[in-house]
């Protein structure tokens, strides 16, 4: 089937003479990758620059369908056409080896479509189709488990691709052919949507970065890892719903997704890094207006929402324990923050920069009523111009990550209120809680790391009690 994407041009018998384009391009062909010419005219176009620099398709093109054994792809193709470079549409099944892969990669520059569904290929090799701007369509092997770093990087005319069930990982390479930070589908700038198969476990760094036409990603339950900058500058992406199986979001993962309006972070426990050297997970997502960080998240990293200039409201969960430096820096319209954490989370600095806080905008911080004064006395939180209590709210989780004092409300708590409490972190950091007041405090689950302390002045009961130990894993220099 003939495909005519934006970067193609259908012409007549004689190659026209081209003047320089208005943009200053000497070729006058701009971003055109493929030129379709009448049957029998390809030689004339290939003999004249700039036409010779493009993929020339003669008539309806050359289609080849072969079944091969390892090392025999070239021989089988030559039974049907004069040269490997003649092939525009390839269907290949059977088994291949490195020689065959090299032929596809380096000896078929005019390839437009390839159907590999019948290939016994578990891994699409690193850089197999890198910068193949004329590739319009790819059907992956039905048994593929891994797509190598840069396998389709720079395939600017691929609009869609089906990732088959059985696929487990999309990989990354630091350097290929003069390119750094090369993800599997990086810079596939015509790719519009992607549905991840239920078997996919890992999306490595830069996998879909700079896919500027990507509007929709359907994430799969079972996904365990998304790498740094995986969706960096996907400027058309409007909404994301992450699966409950994903614990962490790294740095830069949705950086610059300027059309992103809605984020649902199911299951996420930690967002971004503490270092200011790395981009924030949602930095410069300028279409976000409200952000709700879900229960379960314990850390929001440095620069996480930096430069999200249209955010007006933020809700932080009761499980939040700490934040990196100014995670909402540059959010100069942010006027309302709700923090449900009973004990003020540790801030590396403020939620916003000093410049942000100095703007003539009243910013309201809403916090649990029975620790209102603690927020007013805690560095970073105390910078808000107005700090008020959340009516009729009691948090579902109490996390203690440093030295804290907690006084139970004198009016008592609801009879059915049973929060979970966790004292300490998975590290050698000492945490302590001094619990004051009177009456009975009933917990659901109580967990304490052995390097942490509880000084308790009230009657406290819990449905379950855990004492935890964290053992740091060290690796010797010999591995």
């Amino acid at each position: 089937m003939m495909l005519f994407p934006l970067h193609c041009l259908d012409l007549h018998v004689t190659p026209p003479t081209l003047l320089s384009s208005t943009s200053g391009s000497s070729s006058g062909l701009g971003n055109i990758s493929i030129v379709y010419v009448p049957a029998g005219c390809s030689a004339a176009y290939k003999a004249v620059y700039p036409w010779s620099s493009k993929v020339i398709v003669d008539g309806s093109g050359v289609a080849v369908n072969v079944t091969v054994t390892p090392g025999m792809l070239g021989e089988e193709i030559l039974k049907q056409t004069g040269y490997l470079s003649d092939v525009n549409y390839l269907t290949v099944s059977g088994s291949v080896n490195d020689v065959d892969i090299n032929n596809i990669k380096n000896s078929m520059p005019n390839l437009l479509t390839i159907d590999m569904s019948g290939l016994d290929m578990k891994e699409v090799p690193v850089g197999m189709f890198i910068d193949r701007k004329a590739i319009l369509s790819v059907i992956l092997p039905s048994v593929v488990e891994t797509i190598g770093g840069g396998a389709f990087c720079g395939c600017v005319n691929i609009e869609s691709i089906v990732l088959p069930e059985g696929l487990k990982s999309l990989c990354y390479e630091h350097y290929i052919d003069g390119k750094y930070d090369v993800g599997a589908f990086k810079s596939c700038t015509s790719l519009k949507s992607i549905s991840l198969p239920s078997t996919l476990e890992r999306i490595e760094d830069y996998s879909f970065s700079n896919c500027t036409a990507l509007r929709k990603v359907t994430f799969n339950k079972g996904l365990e890892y998304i790498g740094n900058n995986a969706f960096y500058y996907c400027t058309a992406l409007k909404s994301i719903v992450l699966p409950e199986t994903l614990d962490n979001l790294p740095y830069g993962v949705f950086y610059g997704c300027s059309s992103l309006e809605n984020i649902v972070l199911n299951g996420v426990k930690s967002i971004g890094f503490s270092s200011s050297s790395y981009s924030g997970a949602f930095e410069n997502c300028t279409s976000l207006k409200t952000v709700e960080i879900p229960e379960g998240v314990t850390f929001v990293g440095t620069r996480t929402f930096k430069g999200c200039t249209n955010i007006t409201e933020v809700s932080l969960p009761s499980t939040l324990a700490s934040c990196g430096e100014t995670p909402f820096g540059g959010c100069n319209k942010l006027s309302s923050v709700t923090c449900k954490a009973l004990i003020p989370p540790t801030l590396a600095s403020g939620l916003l920069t000093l410049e942000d806080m100095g703007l003539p905008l009243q910013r309201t911080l809403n916090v649990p009523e029975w620790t209102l004064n603690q927020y007013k006395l805690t560095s970073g939180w105390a910078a808000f111009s107005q700090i008020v209590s959340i009516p009729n709210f009691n948090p579902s989780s109490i996390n203690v990550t440093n030295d804290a004092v907690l006084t139970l409300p004198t009016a008592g708590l609801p009879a059915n209120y049973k929060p979970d409490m966790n004292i300490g972190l998975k590290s050698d950091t000492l945490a302590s809680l001094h619990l004051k007041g009177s009456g009975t405090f009933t917990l659901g689950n109580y967990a304490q790391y052995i390097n942490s302390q509880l000084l308790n002045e009230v009657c406290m009961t819990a449905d379950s009690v855990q004492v935890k130990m964290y053992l740091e894993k060290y690796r010797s220099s010999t591995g």
Side-chain angles (χ1 to χ4, degrees), residues 125-131 147-153 171-173 176 182-186:
V126 169
M128 183 172 180
F129 295 98
I130 191 169
D131 282 338
I147 296 178
F152 298 98
C153 175
C171 297
Y172 158 84
E173 290 291 322
I176 308 175
V182 188
F185 293 95
K186 181 179 181 179

Side-chain angles (χ1 to χ4, degrees), residues 212 214 231-239 254-262 282-289 307-310:
T212 52
L214 187 62
F231 294 90
Y232 184 96
Y233 268 119
C234 290
T235 53
L237 190 61
K238 289 186 172 293
S239 177
F254 294 103
Y255 179 98
C257 294
S258 55
S259 296
L260 191 61
E261 298 175 350
N262 181 52
F282 295 96
E283 187 171 340
N284 290 338
C285 292
T286 52
S287 292
L288 284 175
K289 294 181 179 180
C308 295
T309 52
N310 283 303

Side-chain angles (χ1 to χ4, degrees), residues 95-111:
S95 300
V96 294
N97 62 13
D98 290 344
V99 173
D100 303 315
I101 296 299
N102 186 66
N103 277 331
I104 294 173
K105 182 177 180 179
N106 297 313
S107 299
M108 299 184 186
N110 298 312
L111 198 62

Side-chain angles (χ1 to χ4, degrees), residues 16 21 75 77 168 205 216 250 306 447:
S21 69
E75 294 291 337
I77 289 175
K168 295 180 180 179
D205 299 2
K216 182 179 180 181
K306 180 182 178 182

